[in-house]
Each structure stands twice: as C-alpha cells, then as structure tokens.
Amino acid sequence: EVQVLESGGGLAQPGGSLRLSCVASGLEFSSYAMSWVRQAPGKGPEWVSAITGDGGDTFSADSVKGRFTIFRDNSKKTLYLQMNSLRAEDTAVYYCAKGSAASRPYFFDSWGQGALVTVSS
Amino acid sequence: EIVLTQSPGTLSLSPGERATLSCRASQSVRNSYLAWYQQKPGQAPRLLIYGASTRATGIPDRFSGAGSGTDFILTISRLEPEDFAVYYCQSYADSRTFGPGTKVEIK
C-alpha cells in the first residue's frame, strides 16, 4: 500500500521560512512525479509545485514562483518544499500528492494527511 | 490555462437518490484528462475517477464519470451515507487546475 506522510508544518512569521517534508513508502519512488497541493481554509485545492520522478524538472504555480522550491531525494524516498518569503495568503494545509506517472500528464492517486502552515505575526 | 466551473455549488439530496455533478472547462480538455476527487471534512482528497470515466482502484461502481471536450459529469447512482462530501474535478492535461467544488449534502 502506498503511503505518503508530511511533516514540518507550523507557525511562521510573514517573510519567514519553513521546510516541509514528505516520506513515501510502498512504491518505487523515483518512478513517480510528486506534487505539493495546498488548501486554504474553506477553499478548494490549489496545486503549488511539482517535480518529475527523476527530479530533473520542476514546476511551480505563479503564486509561489521564486519563493518556494520543490526538490526530492529518491534515495530517501522523500519530497521537500522549501518555503521562503512567506505571506499570510500562504496559510493553508499542504498536501503531498503522488502522481500517477513519472512525468505529465498525471493525476494524483495518493495523498498525505496534510501539514498545516500558518503565516502570522 | 483551463478554468473549470462546477455546478451546482451545493446539491441537497437524500440517501438512495441519484446525484449528477457537472464540470465545465473553459477550453477542450485534451484526451479527456479529467479527474474527480472526493473530500470529506478533515481529510485529504481521494481520487475517484481519471481519464473522465475510469474508476480508481477500490471505488464502488455507483460512481461513474462521463464526458469529453469541455463538458464532464460525475454520477453517483444511489447515494450512501458516506458519499456526502465535497467533489472536485481537475484537469491534468496542460495544467493542474481544480474546480471550485460541489458539496453534496443531506437533505
């Protein structure tokens, strides 16, 4: 059974930084693209960033481009999201989502339980 | 970028009734790369349907998807108590856009 588990959420001040981690199990990790998807309170999901299975290509939504960096360590089956210059509007539950393939097109067939990130002074 | 519109915003139905949810795209979704997810309060989204009509592993056959181009439908043939939730469509062709969701609530 595929499982993904996020960690690293918490409270950050505006302009601050946080790093999220996501450990995967039950799969050949490098064979699948991975993404971060966030959901602000009372809102629908918003895709944030994605990375191909081999880590060679990354993609980010305009709302986080230049501030957030997605990367992975396939030897540790771990996905990361480095979040810098945080803003209040980044407050959300951040989900780690497994893609159905190594590169696009893919849908999200496994999700973690989510990590809450709160940006507030 | 494709914009997805879902209707209705809220669907009030009783257990045993049929639910029909609509997802409309602002431009044609290439190769019907359209997925549906179910989300219950406090939980992560769960994949129901991909490729517009293929059920994901373990999804009951009361859930069905149809459509192509710009118009897609998710049907729940007979609502079970556990089906009351929010449903999102997502285009995964050239973007990763999610729709705003349809809440299926108990009437």
Side-chain angles (χ1 to χ4, degrees):
Chain A
E1 181 190 3
V2 173
Q3 289 190 326
V4 290
L5 184 63
E6 304 95 337
S7 61
L11 176 65
Q13 291 193 333
S17 298
L18 277 177
R19 177 179 291 186
L20 301 180
S21 300
C22 168
V23 178
S25 60
L27 76 165
E28 186 63 45
F29 187 63
S30 61
S31 294
Y32 300 97
M34 298 293 294
S35 279
W36 291 98
V37 178
R38 69 184 179 185
Q39 189 168 28
K43 303 293 185 182
E46 177 194 14
W47 170 76
V48 173
S49 293
I51 187 167
T52 53
D54 63 3
D57 287 301
T58 62
F59 310 87
S60 290
D62 288 344
S63 57
V64 305
K65 205 166 286 185
R67 301 188 297 122
F68 290 11
T69 301
I70 187 172
F71 58 104
R72 64 194 293 163
D73 184 336
N74 285 345
S75 68
K76 296 181 179 179
K77 293 190 175 182
T78 302
L79 175 74
Y80 302 94
L81 185 68
Q82 177 66 41
M83 302 183 292
N84 298 332
S85 303
L86 283 162
R87 305 168 179 167
E89 55 265 35
D90 296 320
T91 294
V93 174
Y94 284 72
Y95 294 102
C96 170
K98 170 189 168 290
S100 55
S103 59
R104 293 174 71 181
Y106 55 80
F107 45 89
F108 302 125
D109 57 7
S110 291
W111 298 64
Q113 86 291 345
L116 178 62
V117 171
T118 303
V119 183
S120 175
S121 55
Chain B
E1 180 177 298
I2 290 179
V3 176
L4 299 175
T5 303
Q6 291 186 244
S7 61
T10 302
L11 199 51
S12 298
L13 295 168
S14 300
E17 289 193 296
R18 181 186 188 89
T20 303
L21 288 66
S22 173
C23 176
R24 178 162 288 178
S26 58
Q27 56 188 276
S28 183
V29 177
R30 181 170 61 91
N31 290 346
S32 295
Y33 288 146
L34 193 286
W36 290 92
Y37 301 86
Q38 175 195 66
Q39 188 175 34
K40 297 178 183 179
Q43 297 184 16
R46 177 175 73 140
L47 176 69
L48 296 177
I49 301 283
Y50 62 91
S53 61
T54 302
R55 275 189 301 276
T57 302
I59 301 304
D61 60 8
R62 64 180 181 272
F63 291 91
S64 63
S68 63
T70 60
D71 292 294
F72 299 87
I73 296 287
L74 174 70
T75 301
I76 310 171
S77 59
R78 289 177 56 87
L79 282 163
E80 296 288 340
E82 61 268 28
D83 299 336
F84 291 92
V86 181
Y87 293 83
Y88 297 98
C89 60
Q90 183 218 4
S91 165
Y92 55 95
D94 300 301
S95 66
R96 302 167 184 82
T97 315
F98 288 88
T102 291
K103 181 179 181 180
V104 179
E105 65 175 23
I106 299 176
K107 186 175 180 179

